[in-house]
């Protein structure tokens, strides 16, 4: 697990963090903010949170500062449109997601084993 400080240095994204710590009072709650090269905002994503974003401009560049090195064995993928989470993605006819194979094959939160989540 790693904490991340995320910012968008070119373009605009809708950035989302979801609390996946099962024993947390905010388990399954999410926050979404717009990060852009114009607003210079950043989002801190603590350990124990899932993270994803939607590019809402023609293109975007996103940079991270992280608390630890990436560990493929620790990586988990959470379905971006998990109905149980109810993330309000800013989708429209003009903005529709192009989803990677990895994200297309991700699991809903209820499908992940408890050992895969932060306890």
């Amino acid at each position: 697990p790693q904490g991340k400080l995320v910012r968008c240095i070119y373009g605009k994204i809708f950035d989302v963090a979801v609390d996946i710590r099962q024993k947390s009072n905010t388990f399954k709650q999410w926050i979404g903010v717009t990060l852009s090269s114009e607003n210079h905002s950043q989002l801190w994503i603590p350990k124990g949170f899932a993270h994803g974003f939607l590019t809402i401009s023609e293109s975007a560049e996103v940079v991270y500062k992280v608390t630890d090195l990436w560990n493929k064995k620790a990586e988990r993928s959470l379905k971006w449109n998990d109905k149980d989470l109810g993330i309000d993605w800013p989708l429209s006819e003009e903005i529709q997601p192009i989803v990677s194979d990895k994200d297309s094959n991700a699991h809903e939160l209820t499908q992940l084993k408890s050992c895969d989540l932060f306890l």
Side-chain angles (χ1 to χ4, degrees):
Q2 62 180 202
K4 299 176 191 174
L5 182 61
V6 182
R7 69 185 179 117
C8 181
I9 60 171
Y10 177 81
K12 186 189 301 187
I13 65 170
F14 182 70
D15 205 31
V16 174
V18 180
D19 188 352
I20 59 171
R21 301 168 300 165
Q22 288 183 315
K23 294 183 180 179
S24 170
N25 290 338
T26 57
F27 178 58
K28 297 197 298 186
Q29 291 183 23
W30 62 273
I31 184 170
V33 297
T34 299
L35 305 180
S36 74
S37 53
E38 291 180 0
N39 68 19
H40 305 286
S41 294
Q42 300 178 72
L43 181 61
W44 170 248
I45 302 167
K47 291 180 182 182
F49 282 66
H51 171 248
F53 65 88
L54 171 69
T55 301
I56 53 178
S57 56
E58 185 66 30
S59 61
E61 289 185 36
V62 179
V63 295
Y64 300 75
K65 289 188 177 186
V66 295
T67 59
D68 207 343
L69 296 174
W70 176 69
N71 178 355
K72 173 109 175 114
K73 293 179 183 177
E75 184 178 64
R76 303 293 179 267
S77 294
L78 182 61
K79 193 171 191 96
W80 69 274
N81 59 351
D82 185 338
K83 294 195 186 315
D84 193 37
L85 299 176
I87 297 171
D88 188 17
W89 295 99
L91 298 173
S92 65
E93 286 187 26
E94 295 82 34
I95 301 175
Q96 287 296 311
I98 298 171
V99 182
S100 68
D101 289 340
K102 177 182 136 193
D103 290 340
S104 294
N105 295 314
H107 297 287
E108 293 181 352
L109 189 61
T110 57
Q111 294 173 313
L112 292 175
K113 298 176 184 172
S114 61
C115 63
D116 287 338
L117 301 175
F118 295 91
L119 303 175

